[in-house]
Amino acid sequence: MAKFRMVHTEFWDDPKVVEEMTPEDKYFFLYLLTNSNTTQIGIYQITKKQMSFDTGHSIETINALLERFVKYHQNIVYNPETREIAIKNWGKYNFNRGGKPVLDCVNSELKSVKDLSLIPIVGRHIEKPEIKKIYESYYDTPTIRGQEKEKEKEEEKEKQQEKEEAPASAVSPSKFFEENGFGVIGGYIAEKIIQWCEDLSDELVVEAMKIAVESGAKNWRYVEKILINWSNQKIKTVEEANALGLAFKESQSKQYTYKNGKGPVRTEQLPDWFDESEVRTVQKVTENPDLANKKRDLQEKLKKLRGEGNGET
């Protein structure tokens, strides 16, 4: 029997989707709503390997996307131990019909959920009272309430630990700029760096500088183009930036064109922030001066020899 999942047209008008989701986010979210593992209750079991196979993304990209949806968009919860995922607003569009068959199906599928703390995450957003009541029967108990409180304590502990570890591992963007050959920071560049750190984060500014160093373009203009692209893509963490880069490389490897009817030829697509002139400028500045002097001397000698050969004195 074929399964159908409903995606309402209002999906494309949702402010969160329009303003906060990148094209990659939209594709992944639609996949989470419609893949073959989905159930009637909005909680289902799926492995990261399966997600990778279905979407064509690497495991690293899947990890980054899941983290983005859990921590930034906050519309799913994923339990890596039970490999279960819960879609918070599942009930908003998927329970338009009721009746005994639907109620029986919901009750049956809720019994198979391993992580019971996922049930209230979906249940609290369900509007139909008869269906909501079934969900509540699974989590409105002392045992489940105890599990939820324990989970909240663990999350608070993890957040506190992240805050304590962050300053120790942070790298100063200004220090990285000067220590890695970008030059001495003037007042204008310093203000730019501070502004971008406030708009994005210190970590993302440093990550953009690292990309510039690896690309052989140690100048602020190149770094800022990367930051502008990340800002437009709503990137908030280094993991998300890396995922965007991985997704770009994967899409790049799949792009082919046919030339002279001789078969597929790969065409390279460059990121929006890439500027070849920036790289060429840096390469010209870093040319060996001794080599340039020798080249000039040889050119003068050749000119003299040609003059003697033509009878010039």
Side-chain angles (χ1 to χ4, degrees):
M1 182 179 175
K3 288 196 295 185
F4 298 92
R5 297 292 171 235
M6 187 175 292
V7 179
H8 204 278
T9 55
E10 289 179 12
F11 173 87
W12 300 106
D13 299 321
D14 190 316
K16 192 174 184 68
V17 173
V18 174
E19 297 177 3
E20 298 180 17
M21 287 193 181
T22 66
E24 199 68 32
D25 290 342
K26 294 172 186 175
Y27 166 60
F28 188 64
F29 194 36
L30 284 173
Y31 167 74
L32 294 180
L33 293 172
T34 59
N35 71 77
S36 60
N37 290 64
T38 57
T39 60
Q40 187 72 36
I41 60 173
I43 303 168
Y44 59 90
Q45 197 170 34
I46 188 168
T47 65
K48 293 178 181 179
K49 189 174 181 180
Q50 181 67 43
M51 295 183 211
S52 174
F53 179 81
D54 290 343
T55 62
H57 288 318
S58 64
I59 294 293
E60 290 80 7
T61 302
I62 295 297
N63 282 330
L65 284 167
L66 283 173
E67 183 179 12
R68 181 170 170 81
F69 273 80
V70 171
K71 293 185 178 179
Y72 177 62
H73 295 308
Q74 297 182 351
N75 50 13
I76 70 166
V77 174
Y78 185 74
N79 185 330
E81 294 180 4
T82 62
R83 296 176 175 83
E84 289 175 307
I85 193 166
I87 314 292
K88 286 186 179 179
N89 289 324
W90 178 265
K92 188 175 181 180
Y93 301 120
N94 285 277
F95 288 125
N96 293 331
R97 295 180 181 180
K100 192 174 185 305
V102 173
L103 298 177
D104 289 344
C105 179
V106 168
N107 197 25
S108 174
E109 290 183 348
L110 285 172
K111 289 178 181 177
S112 64
V113 175
K114 295 178 181 177
D115 182 358
L116 297 180
S117 67
L118 297 177
I119 296 177
I121 291 168
V122 180
R124 292 190 182 114
H125 298 275
I126 293 172
E127 296 175 358
K128 278 189 173 293
E130 64 271 23
I131 296 177
K132 190 180 185 73
K133 188 176 181 180
I134 299 175
Y135 277 80
E136 289 175 345
S137 68
Y138 282 85
Y139 63 80
D140 193 16
T141 63
T143 304
I144 300 303
R145 286 197 293 271
Q147 287 181 0
E148 288 181 357
K149 287 181 181 179
E150 190 65 32
K151 198 167 186 178
E152 286 174 5
K153 286 181 182 178
E154 288 178 6
E155 288 175 356
E156 281 296 322
K157 191 176 179 180
E158 287 176 4
K159 286 180 182 178
Q160 186 61 34
Q161 192 173 351
E162 286 176 3
K163 287 180 181 178
E164 291 173 358
E165 292 175 354
S169 59
V171 179
S172 166
S174 300
K175 187 176 181 181
F176 187 94
F177 188 93
E178 292 188 339
E179 289 182 350
N180 286 274
F182 287 90
V184 179
I185 297 181
Y188 176 74
I189 297 297
E191 288 179 8
K192 283 276 193 178
I193 290 175
I194 291 169
Q195 187 60 54
W196 276 111
C197 288
E198 290 176 357
D199 291 347
L200 295 178
S201 69
D202 291 15
E203 292 78 11
L204 278 173
V205 173
V206 171
E207 187 66 20
M209 291 181 189
K210 289 178 182 178
I211 293 174
V213 171
E214 291 169 0
S215 301
K218 298 179 186 178
N219 62 79
W220 175 250
R221 184 181 170 192
Y222 193 87
V223 173
E224 192 164 39
K225 285 183 179 180
I226 298 172
L227 295 171
I228 290 170
N229 180 53
W230 287 348
S231 178
N232 291 338
Q233 296 287 342
K234 308 293 189 301
I235 298 300
K236 299 295 181 184
T237 66
V238 173
E239 290 75 17
E240 292 172 8
N242 292 335
L244 185 68
L246 284 168
F248 170 78
K249 288 177 182 178
E250 289 171 3
S251 64
Q252 185 184 54
S253 66
K254 295 173 185 176
Q255 291 185 3
Y256 292 87
T257 58
Y258 285 82
K259 188 174 182 181
N260 300 328
K262 295 182 178 179
V265 178
R266 176 174 168 178
T267 57
E268 298 292 344
Q269 180 187 358
L270 298 174
D272 296 336
W273 46 262
F274 184 84
D275 188 346
E276 192 176 358
S277 64
E278 301 288 347
V279 180
R280 285 202 299 268
T281 302
V282 174
Q283 288 174 340
K284 286 179 182 178
V285 172
T286 56
E287 280 182 357
N288 191 326
D290 294 335
L291 187 61
N293 291 334
K294 287 179 182 180
K295 185 178 179 181
R296 189 166 54 252
D297 292 341
L298 283 171
Q299 287 174 341
E300 290 176 0
K301 287 179 181 179
L302 284 170
K303 189 175 180 181
K304 287 179 181 179
L305 287 171
R306 285 171 184 160
E308 291 174 1
N310 293 330
E312 296 178 7
T313 59

